[in-house]
Amino acid sequence: MNARALCSTVLLLVMGAACGGKDGAAGPAGPTGPSGPTGPAGAQGPAGTAGAAGTNGTNGTNGAAGATGATGPAGPQGNANVRSTVVSNVTLNASSSTLISVPAITSDIVDNGAVLVYVRLVGFGGYWDALPVYSSAGGVLIRVGHITTGQVWLHTSSATANRDIRVVTIAGTPASALVSRYPGVDFGDPEAVQRALGVRF
């Protein structure tokens, strides 16, 4: 074969190879490659602007008023008409009546009220004796002679000194009315009188 024929043959073989059959199927995916190194952290961004302050909420409305409570029981009857006067360190004479000045005894008390008289030794606290009082040891009897406006007259069978005299006046309440109003109360007992009248004297 001459050189021209040989070149033609080679050319045809090359062109045949270039114009060959269909492409084959895709091969399987290759394995995942290793991760690359982590990049450096990014710089912190600037702070955001502060939000606007919120407004205060409105106050709620007041609730309705509660119902009125029941009326409590009535208190005990007052005794503003009761007064007590103490005359200290009195000397009582046997030869004559002893005058005790008590301005609280008004003419209305003399006519319509009540007067209670008590006695005790000076410095001997704890209790009072209602008149009349009799001492078996000393034989001394002290009693009320009579009562007038502003005055109480005391009588004694033997002279005695160092006596405190307490006079309790009750306006508009005769002694008989007191007994009726407070049955069973011993008006010779000052503490019983105080409890019954609801006062301290």
PDB file of all heavy atoms in Angstrom, residues 67-94:
ATOM      1  N   ALA A  67     -72.611  46.844 100.869  1.00  0.00           N
ATOM      2  CA  ALA A  67     -73.875  47.106 101.568  1.00  0.00           C
ATOM      3  C   ALA A  67     -73.607  47.541 103.006  1.00  0.00           C
ATOM      4  O   ALA A  67     -72.601  47.169 103.611  1.00  0.00           O
ATOM      5  CB  ALA A  67     -74.727  45.832 101.566  1.00  0.00           C
ATOM      6  N   THR A  68     -74.474  48.345 103.565  1.00  0.00           N
ATOM      7  CA  THR A  68     -74.344  48.822 104.941  1.00  0.00           C
ATOM      8  C   THR A  68     -74.514  47.659 105.919  1.00  0.00           C
ATOM      9  O   THR A  68     -75.417  46.836 105.771  1.00  0.00           O
ATOM     10  CB  THR A  68     -75.410  49.892 105.229  1.00  0.00           C
ATOM     11  OG1 THR A  68     -75.257  50.961 104.296  1.00  0.00           O
ATOM     12  CG2 THR A  68     -75.267  50.430 106.655  1.00  0.00           C
ATOM     13  N   GLY A  69     -73.606  47.588 106.891  1.00  0.00           N
ATOM     14  CA  GLY A  69     -73.672  46.513 107.869  1.00  0.00           C
ATOM     15  C   GLY A  69     -74.874  46.666 108.794  1.00  0.00           C
ATOM     16  O   GLY A  69     -75.486  47.739 108.895  1.00  0.00           O
ATOM     17  N   ALA A  70     -75.175  45.566 109.454  1.00  0.00           N
ATOM     18  CA  ALA A  70     -76.320  45.582 110.375  1.00  0.00           C
ATOM     19  C   ALA A  70     -76.014  46.453 111.588  1.00  0.00           C
ATOM     20  O   ALA A  70     -74.862  46.583 112.011  1.00  0.00           O
ATOM     21  CB  ALA A  70     -76.632  44.156 110.830  1.00  0.00           C
ATOM     22  N   THR A  71     -77.029  47.080 112.137  1.00  0.00           N
ATOM     23  CA  THR A  71     -76.874  47.931 113.313  1.00  0.00           C
ATOM     24  C   THR A  71     -76.538  47.069 114.535  1.00  0.00           C
ATOM     25  O   THR A  71     -77.158  46.036 114.769  1.00  0.00           O
ATOM     26  CB  THR A  71     -78.177  48.705 113.579  1.00  0.00           C
ATOM     27  OG1 THR A  71     -78.487  49.487 112.422  1.00  0.00           O
ATOM     28  CG2 THR A  71     -78.016  49.622 114.793  1.00  0.00           C
ATOM     29  N   GLY A  72     -75.526  47.482 115.272  1.00  0.00           N
ATOM     30  CA  GLY A  72     -75.120  46.740 116.457  1.00  0.00           C
ATOM     31  C   GLY A  72     -76.131  46.893 117.584  1.00  0.00           C
ATOM     32  O   GLY A  72     -77.008  47.761 117.541  1.00  0.00           O
ATOM     33  N   PRO A  73     -76.007  46.024 118.588  1.00  0.00           N
ATOM     34  CA  PRO A  73     -76.955  46.103 119.715  1.00  0.00           C
ATOM     35  C   PRO A  73     -76.773  47.401 120.497  1.00  0.00           C
ATOM     36  O   PRO A  73     -75.688  47.980 120.539  1.00  0.00           O
ATOM     37  CB  PRO A  73     -76.584  44.883 120.569  1.00  0.00           C
ATOM     38  CG  PRO A  73     -75.152  44.620 120.216  1.00  0.00           C
ATOM     39  CD  PRO A  73     -75.000  44.973 118.779  1.00  0.00           C
ATOM     40  N   ALA A  74     -77.830  47.851 121.094  1.00  0.00           N
ATOM     41  CA  ALA A  74     -77.779  49.089 121.875  1.00  0.00           C
ATOM     42  C   ALA A  74     -76.891  48.900 123.097  1.00  0.00           C
ATOM     43  O   ALA A  74     -76.883  47.835 123.725  1.00  0.00           O
ATOM     44  CB  ALA A  74     -79.189  49.469 122.314  1.00  0.00           C
ATOM     45  N   GLY A  75     -76.100  49.914 123.415  1.00  0.00           N
ATOM     46  CA  GLY A  75     -75.247  49.863 124.590  1.00  0.00           C
ATOM     47  C   GLY A  75     -76.044  50.109 125.861  1.00  0.00           C
ATOM     48  O   GLY A  75     -77.232  50.454 125.804  1.00  0.00           O
ATOM     49  N   PRO A  76     -75.399  49.895 127.009  1.00  0.00           N
ATOM     50  CA  PRO A  76     -76.110  50.109 128.269  1.00  0.00           C
ATOM     51  C   PRO A  76     -76.472  51.580 128.459  1.00  0.00           C
ATOM     52  O   PRO A  76     -75.848  52.474 127.892  1.00  0.00           O
ATOM     53  CB  PRO A  76     -75.089  49.667 129.326  1.00  0.00           C
ATOM     54  CG  PRO A  76     -73.769  49.814 128.652  1.00  0.00           C
ATOM     55  CD  PRO A  76     -73.996  49.503 127.217  1.00  0.00           C
ATOM     56  N   GLN A  77     -77.484  51.816 129.229  1.00  0.00           N
ATOM     57  CA  GLN A  77     -77.935  53.186 129.477  1.00  0.00           C
ATOM     58  C   GLN A  77     -76.831  53.995 130.144  1.00  0.00           C
ATOM     59  O   GLN A  77     -76.160  53.535 131.066  1.00  0.00           O
ATOM     60  CB  GLN A  77     -79.173  53.163 130.388  1.00  0.00           C
ATOM     61  CG  GLN A  77     -79.752  54.546 130.662  1.00  0.00           C
ATOM     62  CD  GLN A  77     -80.991  54.453 131.535  1.00  0.00           C
ATOM     63  OE1 GLN A  77     -81.422  53.359 131.867  1.00  0.00           O
ATOM     64  NE2 GLN A  77     -81.539  55.592 131.894  1.00  0.00           N
ATOM     65  N   GLY A  78     -76.598  55.199 129.628  1.00  0.00           N
ATOM     66  CA  GLY A  78     -75.553  56.046 130.193  1.00  0.00           C
ATOM     67  C   GLY A  78     -75.943  56.607 131.554  1.00  0.00           C
ATOM     68  O   GLY A  78     -77.105  56.586 131.940  1.00  0.00           O
ATOM     69  N   ASN A  79     -74.943  57.084 132.270  1.00  0.00           N
ATOM     70  CA  ASN A  79     -75.188  57.639 133.600  1.00  0.00           C
ATOM     71  C   ASN A  79     -74.407  58.946 133.778  1.00  0.00           C
ATOM     72  O   ASN A  79     -73.623  59.099 134.716  1.00  0.00           O
ATOM     73  CB  ASN A  79     -74.777  56.636 134.684  1.00  0.00           C
ATOM     74  CG  ASN A  79     -75.770  55.498 134.806  1.00  0.00           C
ATOM     75  OD1 ASN A  79     -76.837  55.641 135.365  1.00  0.00           O
ATOM     76  ND2 ASN A  79     -75.408  54.354 134.230  1.00  0.00           N
ATOM     77  N   ALA A  80     -74.606  59.841 132.806  1.00  0.00           N
ATOM     78  CA  ALA A  80     -73.933  61.127 132.892  1.00  0.00           C
ATOM     79  C   ALA A  80     -74.434  61.948 134.076  1.00  0.00           C
ATOM     80  O   ALA A  80     -73.831  62.948 134.455  1.00  0.00           O
ATOM     81  CB  ALA A  80     -74.135  61.913 131.599  1.00  0.00           C
ATOM     82  N   ASN A  81     -75.554  61.509 134.674  1.00  0.00           N
ATOM     83  CA  ASN A  81     -76.120  62.267 135.785  1.00  0.00           C
ATOM     84  C   ASN A  81     -75.539  61.828 137.133  1.00  0.00           C
ATOM     85  O   ASN A  81     -76.003  62.260 138.179  1.00  0.00           O
ATOM     86  CB  ASN A  81     -77.645  62.106 135.811  1.00  0.00           C
ATOM     87  CG  ASN A  81     -78.070  60.646 135.925  1.00  0.00           C
ATOM     88  OD1 ASN A  81     -77.295  59.746 135.629  1.00  0.00           O
ATOM     89  ND2 ASN A  81     -79.291  60.425 136.355  1.00  0.00           N
ATOM     90  N   VAL A  82     -74.538  60.949 137.119  1.00  0.00           N
ATOM     91  CA  VAL A  82     -73.913  60.483 138.356  1.00  0.00           C
ATOM     92  C   VAL A  82     -72.596  61.215 138.565  1.00  0.00           C
ATOM     93  O   VAL A  82     -71.746  61.257 137.678  1.00  0.00           O
ATOM     94  CB  VAL A  82     -73.666  58.958 138.306  1.00  0.00           C
ATOM     95  CG1 VAL A  82     -72.976  58.491 139.580  1.00  0.00           C
ATOM     96  CG2 VAL A  82     -74.972  58.215 138.105  1.00  0.00           C
ATOM     97  N   ARG A  83     -72.427  61.806 139.749  1.00  0.00           N
ATOM     98  CA  ARG A  83     -71.186  62.508 140.082  1.00  0.00           C
ATOM     99  C   ARG A  83     -70.703  62.065 141.450  1.00  0.00           C
ATOM    100  O   ARG A  83     -71.497  61.671 142.311  1.00  0.00           O
ATOM    101  CB  ARG A  83     -71.389  64.028 140.071  1.00  0.00           C
ATOM    102  CG  ARG A  83     -71.773  64.582 138.698  1.00  0.00           C
ATOM    103  CD  ARG A  83     -71.844  66.088 138.716  1.00  0.00           C
ATOM    104  NE  ARG A  83     -70.545  66.680 139.068  1.00  0.00           N
ATOM    105  CZ  ARG A  83     -70.349  67.994 139.207  1.00  0.00           C
ATOM    106  NH1 ARG A  83     -71.366  68.835 139.053  1.00  0.00           N
ATOM    107  NH2 ARG A  83     -69.162  68.470 139.506  1.00  0.00           N
ATOM    108  N   SER A  84     -69.382  62.109 141.619  1.00  0.00           N
ATOM    109  CA  SER A  84     -68.797  61.701 142.887  1.00  0.00           C
ATOM    110  C   SER A  84     -67.882  62.803 143.407  1.00  0.00           C
ATOM    111  O   SER A  84     -67.104  63.390 142.653  1.00  0.00           O
ATOM    112  CB  SER A  84     -67.990  60.408 142.703  1.00  0.00           C
ATOM    113  OG  SER A  84     -67.323  60.057 143.896  1.00  0.00           O
ATOM    114  N   THR A  85     -68.004  63.096 144.717  1.00  0.00           N
ATOM    115  CA  THR A  85     -67.173  64.115 145.354  1.00  0.00           C
ATOM    116  C   THR A  85     -66.506  63.502 146.572  1.00  0.00           C
ATOM    117  O   THR A  85     -67.169  62.832 147.371  1.00  0.00           O
ATOM    118  CB  THR A  85     -68.021  65.328 145.804  1.00  0.00           C
ATOM    119  OG1 THR A  85     -68.683  65.879 144.652  1.00  0.00           O
ATOM    120  CG2 THR A  85     -67.154  66.391 146.464  1.00  0.00           C
ATOM    121  N   VAL A  86     -65.194  63.688 146.713  1.00  0.00           N
ATOM    122  CA  VAL A  86     -64.459  63.185 147.875  1.00  0.00           C
ATOM    123  C   VAL A  86     -63.925  64.374 148.673  1.00  0.00           C
ATOM    124  O   VAL A  86     -63.263  65.258 148.125  1.00  0.00           O
ATOM    125  CB  VAL A  86     -63.291  62.270 147.451  1.00  0.00           C
ATOM    126  CG1 VAL A  86     -62.472  61.861 148.680  1.00  0.00           C
ATOM    127  CG2 VAL A  86     -63.816  61.042 146.737  1.00  0.00           C
ATOM    128  N   VAL A  87     -64.227  64.366 149.965  1.00  0.00           N
ATOM    129  CA  VAL A  87     -63.684  65.363 150.887  1.00  0.00           C
ATOM    130  C   VAL A  87     -62.724  64.618 151.803  1.00  0.00           C
ATOM    131  O   VAL A  87     -63.128  63.696 152.529  1.00  0.00           O
ATOM    132  CB  VAL A  87     -64.801  66.052 151.699  1.00  0.00           C
ATOM    133  CG1 VAL A  87     -64.202  67.108 152.626  1.00  0.00           C
ATOM    134  CG2 VAL A  87     -65.829  66.676 150.749  1.00  0.00           C
ATOM    135  N   SER A  88     -61.450  65.003 151.763  1.00  0.00           N
ATOM    136  CA  SER A  88     -60.413  64.229 152.448  1.00  0.00           C
ATOM    137  C   SER A  88     -60.104  64.758 153.846  1.00  0.00           C
ATOM    138  O   SER A  88     -60.237  65.953 154.127  1.00  0.00           O
ATOM    139  CB  SER A  88     -59.121  64.236 151.610  1.00  0.00           C
ATOM    140  OG  SER A  88     -59.350  63.685 150.329  1.00  0.00           O
ATOM    141  N   ASN A  89     -59.699  63.815 154.695  1.00  0.00           N
ATOM    142  CA  ASN A  89     -59.166  64.114 156.031  1.00  0.00           C
ATOM    143  C   ASN A  89     -60.107  65.003 156.849  1.00  0.00           C
ATOM    144  O   ASN A  89     -59.760  66.094 157.287  1.00  0.00           O
ATOM    145  CB  ASN A  89     -57.787  64.754 155.897  1.00  0.00           C
ATOM    146  CG  ASN A  89     -56.976  64.659 157.174  1.00  0.00           C
ATOM    147  OD1 ASN A  89     -57.321  63.902 158.086  1.00  0.00           O
ATOM    148  ND2 ASN A  89     -55.912  65.436 157.253  1.00  0.00           N
ATOM    149  N   VAL A  90     -61.299  64.482 157.080  1.00  0.00           N
ATOM    150  CA  VAL A  90     -62.331  65.224 157.822  1.00  0.00           C
ATOM    151  C   VAL A  90     -62.292  64.813 159.302  1.00  0.00           C
ATOM    152  O   VAL A  90     -62.116  63.635 159.624  1.00  0.00           O
ATOM    153  CB  VAL A  90     -63.720  64.943 157.234  1.00  0.00           C
ATOM    154  CG1 VAL A  90     -64.816  65.613 158.069  1.00  0.00           C
ATOM    155  CG2 VAL A  90     -63.776  65.404 155.781  1.00  0.00           C
ATOM    156  N   THR A  91     -62.475  65.780 160.185  1.00  0.00           N
ATOM    157  CA  THR A  91     -62.627  65.514 161.623  1.00  0.00           C
ATOM    158  C   THR A  91     -64.095  65.691 161.991  1.00  0.00           C
ATOM    159  O   THR A  91     -64.697  66.732 161.704  1.00  0.00           O
ATOM    160  CB  THR A  91     -61.767  66.478 162.460  1.00  0.00           C
ATOM    161  OG1 THR A  91     -60.382  66.245 162.150  1.00  0.00           O
ATOM    162  CG2 THR A  91     -61.984  66.245 163.942  1.00  0.00           C
ATOM    163  N   LEU A  92     -64.677  64.655 162.584  1.00  0.00           N
ATOM    164  CA  LEU A  92     -66.086  64.689 162.964  1.00  0.00           C
ATOM    165  C   LEU A  92     -66.197  64.961 164.463  1.00  0.00           C
ATOM    166  O   LEU A  92     -65.537  64.314 165.284  1.00  0.00           O
ATOM    167  CB  LEU A  92     -66.750  63.356 162.620  1.00  0.00           C
ATOM    168  CG  LEU A  92     -66.689  62.952 161.129  1.00  0.00           C
ATOM    169  CD1 LEU A  92     -67.268  61.558 160.948  1.00  0.00           C
ATOM    170  CD2 LEU A  92     -67.418  63.958 160.263  1.00  0.00           C
ATOM    171  N   ASN A  93     -67.027  65.929 164.816  1.00  0.00           N
ATOM    172  CA  ASN A  93     -67.209  66.331 166.216  1.00  0.00           C
ATOM    173  C   ASN A  93     -68.440  65.667 166.812  1.00  0.00           C
ATOM    174  O   ASN A  93     -69.482  65.571 166.166  1.00  0.00           O
ATOM    175  CB  ASN A  93     -67.321  67.853 166.335  1.00  0.00           C
ATOM    176  CG  ASN A  93     -66.103  68.559 165.754  1.00  0.00           C
ATOM    177  OD1 ASN A  93     -64.975  68.194 166.058  1.00  0.00           O
ATOM    178  ND2 ASN A  93     -66.348  69.563 164.914  1.00  0.00           N
ATOM    179  N   ALA A  94     -68.305  65.238 168.057  1.00  0.00           N
ATOM    180  CA  ALA A  94     -69.437  64.599 168.736  1.00  0.00           C
ATOM    181  C   ALA A  94     -70.415  65.616 169.294  1.00  0.00           C
ATOM    182  O   ALA A  94     -71.603  65.344 169.455  1.00  0.00           O
ATOM    183  CB  ALA A  94     -68.930  63.699 169.863  1.00  0.00           C
TER     184      ALA A  94
END
